[in-house]
Amino acid sequence: MELKWDVPVFRPWIPSKLPSLPLLLMLVLSLCHFSPTKCLDLDPDDKSSLLCFNSSVQDPSRSLATWVGSNCTNWTGISCENRTGRVVSVNLANMNLSGKVLPCLCNLSFLEYLNLSGNNFNGTIPTCFGSLASLKTIDLSHNSFSGVLPDNITRLGQLRELVLNGNRQLGGDLPWWIGNFSSNLEKLDLSSNSFNGEMPDSLFHLKSLRHLDLGDNYISGNVHEFYQSLEFLGLASNKLFGTLPCFSASTKSLTVLTLANNSLVGGIPTCIASLEALAHLNLSFNHLSYGISPRLVFTEKLLVLDLSFNDLSGPLPGKIAEATEKSGLVLLDLSHNRFSGKIPLKITELKSLQALFLSRNLLTGEIPARIGNLTYLQVVDLSHNSLSGSIPLDIVGCFQLLALILNNNNLSGEIQPELDALDSLKILDVSHNKISGEIPLTLAGLKSLEVVDLSSNNLSGMLNDAITKWLNLKYLSLAHNKFSGNLPSWLFTFEAIQVIDFSGNKFSGFIPDGNFNISFRSNNGNSVRDPKVPFISVKSIEIKVSAMVIDTSELSFTFKVSSMVGIDLSDNLLRGEIPNVLFEVEGLEYLNLSYNYLDGQLPSLEKMWNLRALDLSHNSLSGQIPGNISTLKDLILLNLSYNSFSGSVPVNQGYRRFPGAFAGNPDLCVESSGEGCERGSPPAEPGKTFEEVEGPILVWVFCVSAFVSFYLGVVGLFCSARARSYILQTKV
């Protein structure tokens, strides 16, 4: 509210008119009466303490530049008691501050709330915090504090919230007193630190406790019952073992339960379904076994259920949760188990479902046509099963679908033209099936596509112009099909493309000689990789999904392709010379043109600074070996075998790190130290390439193995008003 004052006009002050002075004083006092905070001065001792604290703080964003003068309301992050001016709250969260916390902060003897989260404060937690007897909340999360939790905190008998998560160097044994120093403690968050040892018994009996998060530490021991009414229990990513308790004391209150990434054994007790308020259950990455009882049916309040990466078996549960038109599960992940049988029709009745993961099980039968009833579905992964039949046409009913992942099944039939109705689709992976026919021209309507993998099927025909409409394309694999015809001139012109794999087909003609897009040239998809792990070690695409369920109905979907940047046209019928422009693409990390009929000479490779693998074997290339190949520092695989190269390869050019790279070139002289020249000779079993020298590496693996990681992030999976601030991280 803005106060307006009708202030009388005063004449210039004349000593003889002293009565005007009291009138002015009354005006000032009235201002302070109506808006007391505007005149609230910091207590001088507290001001000195804050300035002392600030003296050790690095503040590049100048967030604390307002800490001048004495008016408390002007000091960023500081709140004072209305009458005394004593500091009661210090909230400096997310201000890009760093440095050590000096003990002078502990002189704020009336402090009730302290929040330094989301900065980069370091050093140990000051032991003097125990002297702040009025403290009700301490939040030091997401900093760089180290050492152990000081015992002096046991003096804080009024403390309600202790939040220290996200300080990786903070740890040691979980203090024995952590459950009995304050009978008022409601929230304890020590997650994402380095605490070890077992949970003290007092923690299971602290009646006031409502929120407990000890996830992502090194805590060991058996999982016990808790004897208070918890609302949030996070124990994920520890070393806990034993069987799953019922959490009976929290039947009406527990909303979030996550025990993922531990060593729990046994089955899932049906009493878990008695948790009436449960909205989020994550038991993934354990050793849970046996089947799921038909009596294990959760209420419609359950939004997220993740049982992935266990050893659960038997049929998929016919009914896992109650559902209504507007409430029920939004994310169901039963992937990486041993479930068998058909996909039950009851799953298609979960009308609010937005993400469905059933991959890497033993499922058989056809994909239910009723899956089209899931109109909110945005991500579906049924890969690595034994599903048969065709892709149901009814799936177009999932008109919001963003990712359709059906690879490694026994699906057959053709790609239906009607799939163009999925115009929001970003990821289409139907690789390693038995799908036949051609790519329908109508798929030109899928303009949002970024990742397309149709490899290892029975697809045929020539490439049509529908592909040119996929303007956002980052990854395209048509490998190991029966495509034929000439490669089109537009092949390398996609602006965001990072991987093209057309290996194992019947493409003929010449390699297009055109301009390459900026993505290939700049290598903007390159990620930081461990140099000790060869890129050929990963033989499959990996998808990682993370979801956040918040109070809204909107979905935000993003993902990042972080793959090797490369081109694989191997095992086709290509002929002619390799275009020089192909060897001028600086961002290219691997190039495989082996098993074709290419001829001509090999040009200079000096511009291909990022090249890590080059396979031109089994062609008809001739001329001399360029001397600058050995200067490519990142090159770890080289195969020029079975060509018609001639001349000599000097020993001082470092080619000895590529044994067998020149086999099958009889006119090529490969110098050896002190031995003169050796003619390129075929290995013991002609026709093989890298297998003899690099271990069990198959040629067809070349491109797929180069796809080091493929990250799909569902950054926001926003569902109903009951799902406020629940966070799930699921790995597929």
Side-chain angles (χ1 to χ4, degrees):
M1 177 182 295
E2 182 182 353
L3 297 179
K4 295 184 179 180
W5 299 89
D6 292 324
V7 182
V9 177
F10 292 98
R11 294 191 177 96
W13 180 68
I14 302 173
S16 61
K17 296 188 177 180
L18 290 177
S20 299
L21 184 59
L23 185 60
L24 180 61
L25 182 60
M26 289 178 61
L27 177 61
V28 173
L29 290 175
S30 62
L31 280 168
C32 291
H33 175 74
F34 283 101
S35 183
T37 58
K38 292 184 179 180
C39 298
L40 182 60
D41 283 344
L42 267 168
D43 178 84
D45 292 336
D46 286 358
K47 177 181 177 182
S48 298
S49 299
L50 289 173
L51 292 176
C52 172
F53 161 76
N54 192 20
S55 66
S56 68
V57 173
Q58 284 78 54
D59 181 16
S61 303
R62 295 186 55 78
S63 302
L64 307 184
T66 60
W67 283 20
V68 292
S70 297
N71 191 340
C72 181
T73 56
N74 292 337
W75 284 46
T76 299
I78 305 301
S79 298
C80 300
E81 204 278 327
N82 284 341
R83 292 173 297 174
T84 64
R86 303 305 298 259
V87 174
V88 294
S89 172
V90 175
N91 186 357
L92 305 180
N94 303 303
M95 291 188 180
N96 193 27
L97 306 175
S98 60
K100 296 185 182 301
V101 178
L102 294 182
C104 48
L105 192 64
C106 301
N107 294 329
L108 303 174
S109 54
F110 287 81
L111 193 64
E112 298 179 4
Y113 180 88
L114 175 62
N115 189 346
L116 304 180
S117 64
N119 289 291
N120 195 29
F121 289 110
N122 54 51
T124 58
I125 297 175
T127 58
C128 65
F129 277 1
S131 65
L132 297 172
S134 299
L135 265 181
K136 294 180 174 63
T137 296
I138 298 179
D139 189 346
L140 307 179
S141 61
H142 299 290
N143 279 285
S144 299
F145 288 107
S146 57
V148 298
L149 200 57
D151 291 345
N152 290 32
I153 288 182
T154 57
R155 300 178 184 176
L156 303 178
Q158 301 299 315
L159 201 65
R160 295 177 181 174
E161 296 186 359
L162 179 59
V163 182
L164 304 175
N165 59 297
N167 290 277
R168 272 299 174 191
Q169 302 304 313
L170 183 66
D173 288 337
L174 196 63
W176 61 269
W177 46 260
I178 198 67
N180 61 8
F181 75 95
S182 172
S183 59
N184 297 304
L185 194 65
E186 298 177 358
K187 180 176 182 179
L188 176 62
D189 189 346
L190 303 180
S191 61
S192 299
N193 291 308
S194 298
F195 288 101
N196 51 50
E198 297 188 9
M199 288 181 282
D201 288 342
S202 58
L203 204 54
F204 301 106
H205 297 273
L206 181 57
K207 294 298 183 181
S208 60
L209 195 61
R210 295 293 176 264
H211 182 117
L212 175 62
D213 195 348
L214 302 177
D216 197 12
N217 280 285
Y218 304 99
I219 296 170
S220 57
N222 215 322
V223 179
H224 292 279
E225 278 278 8
F226 286 79
Y227 298 100
Q228 62 272 82
S229 299
L230 291 171
E231 297 173 2
F232 182 106
L233 179 59
L235 301 175
S237 298
N238 280 290
K239 298 180 179 180
L240 301 171
F241 51 84
T243 57
L244 197 64
C246 290
F247 304 103
S248 303
S250 302
T251 298
K252 297 184 180 299
S253 60
L254 194 62
T255 58
V256 176
L257 174 60
T258 171
L259 285 160
N261 198 19
N262 281 287
S263 298
L264 302 182
V265 296
I268 302 176
T270 55
C271 59
I272 291 292
S274 301
L275 299 173
E276 299 174 5
L278 196 62
H280 180 132
L281 177 62
N282 189 348
L283 303 176
S284 62
F285 289 92
N286 279 287
H287 305 297
L288 299 173
S289 54
Y290 309 118
I292 294 182
S293 169
R295 293 185 294 130
L296 185 71
V297 180
F298 295 93
T299 71
E300 72 278 1
K301 293 182 180 180
L302 189 68
L303 302 174
V304 172
L305 177 61
D306 189 351
L307 305 179
S308 63
F309 288 90
N310 279 288
D311 197 30
L312 299 168
S313 58
L316 284 175
K319 185 176 184 179
I320 194 69
E322 301 287 350
T324 66
E325 286 293 330
K326 295 183 179 180
S327 64
L329 278 175
V330 298
L331 191 150
L332 175 62
D333 192 346
L334 304 178
S335 65
H336 292 261
N337 281 286
R338 294 191 298 116
F339 289 113
S340 56
K342 296 182 178 182
I343 299 175
L345 291 178
K346 285 288 185 181
I347 286 183
T348 64
E349 296 177 7
L350 300 172
K351 296 295 182 66
S352 57
L353 203 61
Q354 298 187 27
L356 175 63
F357 300 104
L358 302 178
S359 65
R360 293 187 184 272
N361 280 287
L362 305 172
L363 302 177
T364 56
E366 298 186 355
I367 301 172
R370 292 186 189 176
I371 196 171
N373 294 340
L374 303 177
T375 55
Y376 294 107
L377 197 63
Q378 304 188 48
V379 179
V380 56
D381 186 354
L382 308 179
S383 64
H384 293 274
N385 282 288
S386 298
L387 299 172
S388 57
S390 58
I391 302 173
L393 190 57
D394 300 67
I395 203 168
V396 299
C398 308
F399 60 92
Q400 299 186 58
L401 204 60
L402 303 172
L404 178 60
I405 305 170
L406 305 175
N407 59 289
N408 291 84
N409 280 287
N410 293 318
L411 300 175
S412 56
E414 299 185 355
I415 299 176
Q416 298 297 324
E418 289 81 0
L419 289 182
D420 67 330
L422 300 175
D423 54 5
S424 297
L425 201 64
K426 292 179 179 289
I427 296 177
L428 174 62
D429 187 353
V430 295
S431 62
H432 295 274
N433 281 288
K434 300 175 182 177
I435 297 173
S436 57
E438 300 185 1
I439 299 176
L441 279 169
T442 57
L443 294 194
L446 303 181
K447 296 181 180 180
S448 297
L449 279 174
E450 298 184 25
V451 175
V452 177
D453 194 345
L454 307 179
S455 63
S456 299
N457 280 287
N458 295 317
L459 295 167
S460 58
M462 301 175 65
L463 294 184
N464 58 52
D465 289 343
I467 298 177
T468 64
K469 305 299 181 182
W470 303 340
L471 300 179
N472 299 311
L473 203 59
K474 295 179 180 178
Y475 178 91
L476 175 62
S477 178
L478 306 180
H480 303 285
N481 279 286
K482 299 176 182 178
F483 290 106
S484 58
N486 294 336
L487 294 177
S489 58
W490 44 257
L491 182 59
F492 303 121
T493 59
F494 295 97
E495 294 199 3
I497 198 71
Q498 295 176 27
V499 173
I500 289 180
D501 184 359
F502 286 2
S503 62
N505 282 284
K506 298 180 181 179
F507 290 113
S508 56
F510 302 96
I511 298 175
D513 185 2
N515 293 325
F516 285 79
N517 63 74
I518 190 66
S519 182
F520 273 138
R521 290 192 175 279
S522 65
N523 194 9
N524 63 359
N526 191 18
S527 64
V528 178
R529 283 178 286 270
D530 186 349
K532 298 179 181 179
V533 181
F535 72 96
I536 52 175
S537 63
V538 180
K539 297 185 179 181
S540 62
I541 295 174
E542 294 182 357
I543 301 175
K544 293 183 179 179
V545 178
S546 60
M548 184 182 298
V549 183
I550 302 181
D551 180 16
T552 177
S553 59
E554 297 180 0
L555 174 81
S556 175
F557 174 87
T558 62
F559 70 93
K560 178 181 179 183
V561 173
S562 183
S563 65
M564 300 289 293
V565 177
I567 297 172
D568 192 344
L569 303 178
S570 64
D571 196 13
N572 279 287
L573 306 173
L574 302 174
R575 57 188 173 85
E577 296 186 2
I578 304 173
N580 287 341
V581 67
L582 193 59
F583 294 101
E584 297 176 358
V585 183
E586 301 95 336
L588 209 60
E589 292 183 89
Y590 75 87
L591 177 63
N592 190 353
L593 304 178
S594 63
Y595 289 90
N596 280 289
Y597 298 96
L598 301 171
D599 54 31
Q601 297 189 4
L602 187 61
S604 171
L605 305 178
E606 60 185 7
K607 293 184 178 180
M608 304 183 74
W609 295 112
N610 291 294
L611 197 64
R612 302 186 69 194
L614 176 64
D615 190 350
L616 304 178
S617 65
H618 294 269
N619 281 288
S620 300
L621 301 172
S622 59
Q624 304 239 349
I625 302 292
N628 58 1
I629 292 182
S630 60
T631 64
L632 302 177
K633 303 295 185 182
D634 293 333
L635 195 65
I636 59 175
L637 285 180
L638 175 66
N639 193 353
L640 302 178
S641 63
Y642 293 96
N643 279 285
S644 299
F645 290 113
S646 58
S648 61
V649 180
V651 66
N652 61 0
Q653 292 189 351
Y655 286 109
R656 294 184 65 83
R657 61 189 174 114
F658 307 117
F662 306 109
N665 289 278
D667 295 329
L668 187 63
C669 171
V670 183
E671 292 184 3
S672 59
S673 55
E675 297 280 332
C677 196
E678 294 179 358
R679 295 289 171 183
S681 57
E685 298 181 40
K688 292 189 177 182
T689 55
F690 286 146
E691 291 93 332
E692 291 82 2
V693 294
E694 296 292 341
I697 305 167
L698 303 180
V699 174
W700 64 269
V701 171
F702 194 91
C703 178
V704 177
S705 63
F707 201 109
V708 174
S709 61
F710 165 33
Y711 295 102
L712 164 65
V714 183
V715 175
L717 185 56
F718 304 124
C719 311
S720 84
R722 298 186 316 279
R724 182 171 283 103
S725 299
Y726 300 153
I727 298 176
L728 169 70
Q729 291 186 343
T730 305
K731 294 181 180 128
V732 180

PDB file of all heavy atoms in Angstrom, residues 91 105 173 246 265 356 377-378 423 442 517 549 558-559 583 613 615 636 671 702:
ATOM      1  N   ASN A  91      18.893 -15.177   5.176  1.00  0.00           N
ATOM      2  CA  ASN A  91      18.563 -15.997   4.010  1.00  0.00           C
ATOM      3  C   ASN A  91      19.391 -15.528   2.818  1.00  0.00           C
ATOM      4  O   ASN A  91      19.041 -14.556   2.145  1.00  0.00           O
ATOM      5  CB  ASN A  91      17.075 -15.905   3.693  1.00  0.00           C
ATOM      6  CG  ASN A  91      16.658 -16.850   2.580  1.00  0.00           C
ATOM      7  OD1 ASN A  91      17.499 -17.540   1.989  1.00  0.00           O
ATOM      8  ND2 ASN A  91      15.374 -16.896   2.293  1.00  0.00           N
ATOM      9  N   LEU A 105      29.480 -15.030  12.772  1.00  0.00           N
ATOM     10  CA  LEU A 105      28.053 -15.183  12.457  1.00  0.00           C
ATOM     11  C   LEU A 105      27.298 -15.725  13.670  1.00  0.00           C
ATOM     12  O   LEU A 105      26.093 -15.500  13.816  1.00  0.00           O
ATOM     13  CB  LEU A 105      27.884 -16.119  11.254  1.00  0.00           C
ATOM     14  CG  LEU A 105      26.498 -16.183  10.612  1.00  0.00           C
ATOM     15  CD1 LEU A 105      26.114 -14.834  10.015  1.00  0.00           C
ATOM     16  CD2 LEU A 105      26.454 -17.248   9.522  1.00  0.00           C
ATOM     17  N   ASP A 173      30.984 -40.959  10.273  1.00  0.00           N
ATOM     18  CA  ASP A 173      29.926 -41.786  10.844  1.00  0.00           C
ATOM     19  C   ASP A 173      28.683 -40.947  11.126  1.00  0.00           C
ATOM     20  O   ASP A 173      28.774 -39.822  11.619  1.00  0.00           O
ATOM     21  CB  ASP A 173      30.399 -42.427  12.147  1.00  0.00           C
ATOM     22  CG  ASP A 173      31.419 -43.529  11.903  1.00  0.00           C
ATOM     23  OD1 ASP A 173      31.432 -44.078  10.790  1.00  0.00           O
ATOM     24  OD2 ASP A 173      32.208 -43.820  12.828  1.00  0.00           O
ATOM     25  N   CYS A 246       6.775 -52.788   6.448  1.00  0.00           N
ATOM     26  CA  CYS A 246       5.451 -52.292   6.061  1.00  0.00           C
ATOM     27  C   CYS A 246       5.256 -50.805   6.326  1.00  0.00           C
ATOM     28  O   CYS A 246       4.307 -50.219   5.807  1.00  0.00           O
ATOM     29  CB  CYS A 246       4.364 -53.065   6.809  1.00  0.00           C
ATOM     30  SG  CYS A 246       4.194 -54.787   6.264  1.00  0.00           S
ATOM     31  N   VAL A 265      16.177 -57.496  -0.532  1.00  0.00           N
ATOM     32  CA  VAL A 265      15.871 -58.820  -1.086  1.00  0.00           C
ATOM     33  C   VAL A 265      14.430 -59.176  -0.727  1.00  0.00           C
ATOM     34  O   VAL A 265      13.729 -58.442  -0.029  1.00  0.00           O
ATOM     35  CB  VAL A 265      16.848 -59.886  -0.540  1.00  0.00           C
ATOM     36  CG1 VAL A 265      18.263 -59.598  -0.997  1.00  0.00           C
ATOM     37  CG2 VAL A 265      16.784 -59.954   0.985  1.00  0.00           C
ATOM     38  N   LEU A 356       5.510 -44.944 -19.763  1.00  0.00           N
ATOM     39  CA  LEU A 356       5.381 -46.391 -19.552  1.00  0.00           C
ATOM     40  C   LEU A 356       6.668 -47.076 -19.985  1.00  0.00           C
ATOM     41  O   LEU A 356       7.061 -47.006 -21.146  1.00  0.00           O
ATOM     42  CB  LEU A 356       4.193 -46.938 -20.357  1.00  0.00           C
ATOM     43  CG  LEU A 356       4.007 -48.462 -20.343  1.00  0.00           C
ATOM     44  CD1 LEU A 356       3.711 -48.951 -18.927  1.00  0.00           C
ATOM     45  CD2 LEU A 356       2.891 -48.876 -21.297  1.00  0.00           C
ATOM     46  N   LEU A 377      -0.201 -40.295 -22.834  1.00  0.00           N
ATOM     47  CA  LEU A 377       1.084 -40.981 -22.915  1.00  0.00           C
ATOM     48  C   LEU A 377       2.075 -40.187 -23.768  1.00  0.00           C
ATOM     49  O   LEU A 377       1.760 -39.759 -24.874  1.00  0.00           O
ATOM     50  CB  LEU A 377       0.884 -42.375 -23.512  1.00  0.00           C
ATOM     51  CG  LEU A 377       2.021 -43.371 -23.292  1.00  0.00           C
ATOM     52  CD1 LEU A 377       2.218 -43.651 -21.814  1.00  0.00           C
ATOM     53  CD2 LEU A 377       1.734 -44.670 -24.036  1.00  0.00           C
ATOM     54  N   GLN A 378       3.276 -40.015 -23.230  1.00  0.00           N
ATOM     55  CA  GLN A 378       4.281 -39.238 -23.940  1.00  0.00           C
ATOM     56  C   GLN A 378       5.566 -40.016 -24.186  1.00  0.00           C
ATOM     57  O   GLN A 378       6.293 -39.715 -25.124  1.00  0.00           O
ATOM     58  CB  GLN A 378       4.583 -37.953 -23.177  1.00  0.00           C
ATOM     59  CG  GLN A 378       3.318 -37.146 -22.933  1.00  0.00           C
ATOM     60  CD  GLN A 378       3.594 -35.786 -22.360  1.00  0.00           C
ATOM     61  OE1 GLN A 378       4.443 -35.067 -22.852  1.00  0.00           O
ATOM     62  NE2 GLN A 378       2.880 -35.428 -21.325  1.00  0.00           N
ATOM     63  N   ASP A 423       2.594 -36.291 -34.741  1.00  0.00           N
ATOM     64  CA  ASP A 423       3.420 -35.184 -35.230  1.00  0.00           C
ATOM     65  C   ASP A 423       4.253 -34.516 -34.144  1.00  0.00           C
ATOM     66  O   ASP A 423       5.011 -33.590 -34.433  1.00  0.00           O
ATOM     67  CB  ASP A 423       2.561 -34.137 -35.944  1.00  0.00           C
ATOM     68  CG  ASP A 423       1.410 -33.636 -35.095  1.00  0.00           C
ATOM     69  OD1 ASP A 423       1.321 -34.030 -33.910  1.00  0.00           O
ATOM     70  OD2 ASP A 423       0.601 -32.848 -35.597  1.00  0.00           O
ATOM     71  N   THR A 442       4.337 -40.408 -46.193  1.00  0.00           N
ATOM     72  CA  THR A 442       3.559 -39.596 -45.257  1.00  0.00           C
ATOM     73  C   THR A 442       4.349 -39.251 -44.001  1.00  0.00           C
ATOM     74  O   THR A 442       3.995 -38.298 -43.289  1.00  0.00           O
ATOM     75  CB  THR A 442       2.279 -40.341 -44.843  1.00  0.00           C
ATOM     76  OG1 THR A 442       2.642 -41.608 -44.277  1.00  0.00           O
ATOM     77  CG2 THR A 442       1.372 -40.562 -46.035  1.00  0.00           C
ATOM     78  N   ASN A 517      27.063 -29.983 -43.048  1.00  0.00           N
ATOM     79  CA  ASN A 517      26.432 -29.022 -42.156  1.00  0.00           C
ATOM     80  C   ASN A 517      27.338 -28.628 -41.009  1.00  0.00           C
ATOM     81  O   ASN A 517      28.365 -29.221 -40.759  1.00  0.00           O
ATOM     82  CB  ASN A 517      25.139 -29.617 -41.595  1.00  0.00           C
ATOM     83  CG  ASN A 517      25.446 -30.843 -40.754  1.00  0.00           C
ATOM     84  OD1 ASN A 517      25.938 -30.730 -39.654  1.00  0.00           O
ATOM     85  ND2 ASN A 517      25.176 -32.019 -41.305  1.00  0.00           N
ATOM     86  N   VAL A 549       7.906 -34.499 -11.045  1.00  0.00           N
ATOM     87  CA  VAL A 549       6.462 -34.359 -10.954  1.00  0.00           C
ATOM     88  C   VAL A 549       6.157 -33.183 -10.051  1.00  0.00           C
ATOM     89  O   VAL A 549       6.515 -33.171  -8.884  1.00  0.00           O
ATOM     90  CB  VAL A 549       5.835 -35.643 -10.393  1.00  0.00           C
ATOM     91  CG1 VAL A 549       4.330 -35.532 -10.369  1.00  0.00           C
ATOM     92  CG2 VAL A 549       6.267 -36.837 -11.222  1.00  0.00           C
ATOM     93  N   THR A 558      12.723 -32.475 -22.948  1.00  0.00           N
ATOM     94  CA  THR A 558      13.968 -32.206 -23.655  1.00  0.00           C
ATOM     95  C   THR A 558      14.877 -33.411 -23.513  1.00  0.00           C
ATOM     96  O   THR A 558      14.731 -34.214 -22.589  1.00  0.00           O
ATOM     97  CB  THR A 558      14.704 -30.972 -23.097  1.00  0.00           C
ATOM     98  OG1 THR A 558      15.040 -31.215 -21.734  1.00  0.00           O
ATOM     99  CG2 THR A 558      13.868 -29.715 -23.210  1.00  0.00           C
ATOM    100  N   PHE A 559      15.812 -33.569 -24.434  1.00  0.00           N
ATOM    101  CA  PHE A 559      16.815 -34.614 -24.311  1.00  0.00           C
ATOM    102  C   PHE A 559      18.060 -34.167 -25.059  1.00  0.00           C
ATOM    103  O   PHE A 559      18.025 -33.252 -25.876  1.00  0.00           O
ATOM    104  CB  PHE A 559      16.321 -35.947 -24.848  1.00  0.00           C
ATOM    105  CG  PHE A 559      16.178 -35.986 -26.342  1.00  0.00           C
ATOM    106  CD1 PHE A 559      17.206 -36.442 -27.140  1.00  0.00           C
ATOM    107  CD2 PHE A 559      15.014 -35.555 -26.940  1.00  0.00           C
ATOM    108  CE1 PHE A 559      17.075 -36.467 -28.515  1.00  0.00           C
ATOM    109  CE2 PHE A 559      14.874 -35.587 -28.313  1.00  0.00           C
ATOM    110  CZ  PHE A 559      15.909 -36.037 -29.098  1.00  0.00           C
ATOM    111  N   PHE A 583      37.062 -35.326 -46.121  1.00  0.00           N
ATOM    112  CA  PHE A 583      38.262 -35.324 -45.277  1.00  0.00           C
ATOM    113  C   PHE A 583      38.616 -33.915 -44.793  1.00  0.00           C
ATOM    114  O   PHE A 583      39.703 -33.700 -44.282  1.00  0.00           O
ATOM    115  CB  PHE A 583      39.436 -35.930 -46.048  1.00  0.00           C
ATOM    116  CG  PHE A 583      39.247 -37.383 -46.360  1.00  0.00           C
ATOM    117  CD1 PHE A 583      38.844 -37.785 -47.619  1.00  0.00           C
ATOM    118  CD2 PHE A 583      39.441 -38.336 -45.384  1.00  0.00           C
ATOM    119  CE1 PHE A 583      38.658 -39.120 -47.912  1.00  0.00           C
ATOM    120  CE2 PHE A 583      39.243 -39.684 -45.663  1.00  0.00           C
ATOM    121  CZ  PHE A 583      38.853 -40.083 -46.931  1.00  0.00           C
ATOM    122  N   ALA A 613      38.465 -42.878 -35.173  1.00  0.00           N
ATOM    123  CA  ALA A 613      38.428 -44.180 -35.840  1.00  0.00           C
ATOM    124  C   ALA A 613      38.229 -43.976 -37.333  1.00  0.00           C
ATOM    125  O   ALA A 613      37.358 -43.206 -37.746  1.00  0.00           O
ATOM    126  CB  ALA A 613      37.305 -45.045 -35.267  1.00  0.00           C
ATOM    127  N   ASP A 615      38.053 -46.441 -40.858  1.00  0.00           N
ATOM    128  CA  ASP A 615      38.059 -47.764 -41.485  1.00  0.00           C
ATOM    129  C   ASP A 615      37.715 -47.606 -42.963  1.00  0.00           C
ATOM    130  O   ASP A 615      36.576 -47.297 -43.318  1.00  0.00           O
ATOM    131  CB  ASP A 615      37.045 -48.683 -40.806  1.00  0.00           C
ATOM    132  CG  ASP A 615      37.189 -50.137 -41.268  1.00  0.00           C
ATOM    133  OD1 ASP A 615      37.933 -50.381 -42.238  1.00  0.00           O
ATOM    134  OD2 ASP A 615      36.565 -51.017 -40.651  1.00  0.00           O
ATOM    135  N   ILE A 636      42.475 -43.856 -32.464  1.00  0.00           N
ATOM    136  CA  ILE A 636      42.757 -45.094 -31.745  1.00  0.00           C
ATOM    137  C   ILE A 636      42.481 -46.329 -32.596  1.00  0.00           C
ATOM    138  O   ILE A 636      42.909 -47.423 -32.249  1.00  0.00           O
ATOM    139  CB  ILE A 636      41.937 -45.174 -30.444  1.00  0.00           C
ATOM    140  CG1 ILE A 636      40.443 -45.117 -30.731  1.00  0.00           C
ATOM    141  CG2 ILE A 636      42.344 -44.095 -29.474  1.00  0.00           C
ATOM    142  CD1 ILE A 636      39.577 -45.305 -29.500  1.00  0.00           C
ATOM    143  N   GLU A 671      57.844 -50.286 -43.213  1.00  0.00           N
ATOM    144  CA  GLU A 671      59.161 -50.358 -42.584  1.00  0.00           C
ATOM    145  C   GLU A 671      59.033 -50.837 -41.140  1.00  0.00           C
ATOM    146  O   GLU A 671      58.086 -50.508 -40.436  1.00  0.00           O
ATOM    147  CB  GLU A 671      59.832 -48.982 -42.588  1.00  0.00           C
ATOM    148  CG  GLU A 671      60.209 -48.487 -43.976  1.00  0.00           C
ATOM    149  CD  GLU A 671      60.953 -47.167 -43.917  1.00  0.00           C
ATOM    150  OE1 GLU A 671      61.207 -46.696 -42.794  1.00  0.00           O
ATOM    151  OE2 GLU A 671      61.267 -46.616 -44.989  1.00  0.00           O
ATOM    152  N   PHE A 702      30.660 -51.213 -35.518  1.00  0.00           N
ATOM    153  CA  PHE A 702      31.480 -49.998 -35.586  1.00  0.00           C
ATOM    154  C   PHE A 702      30.695 -48.745 -35.253  1.00  0.00           C
ATOM    155  O   PHE A 702      31.074 -47.952 -34.404  1.00  0.00           O
ATOM    156  CB  PHE A 702      32.078 -49.890 -36.994  1.00  0.00           C
ATOM    157  CG  PHE A 702      33.175 -48.884 -37.091  1.00  0.00           C
ATOM    158  CD1 PHE A 702      34.479 -49.265 -36.887  1.00  0.00           C
ATOM    159  CD2 PHE A 702      32.910 -47.565 -37.381  1.00  0.00           C
ATOM    160  CE1 PHE A 702      35.499 -48.354 -36.972  1.00  0.00           C
ATOM    161  CE2 PHE A 702      33.916 -46.646 -37.473  1.00  0.00           C
ATOM    162  CZ  PHE A 702      35.222 -47.044 -37.279  1.00  0.00           C
TER     163      PHE A 702
END
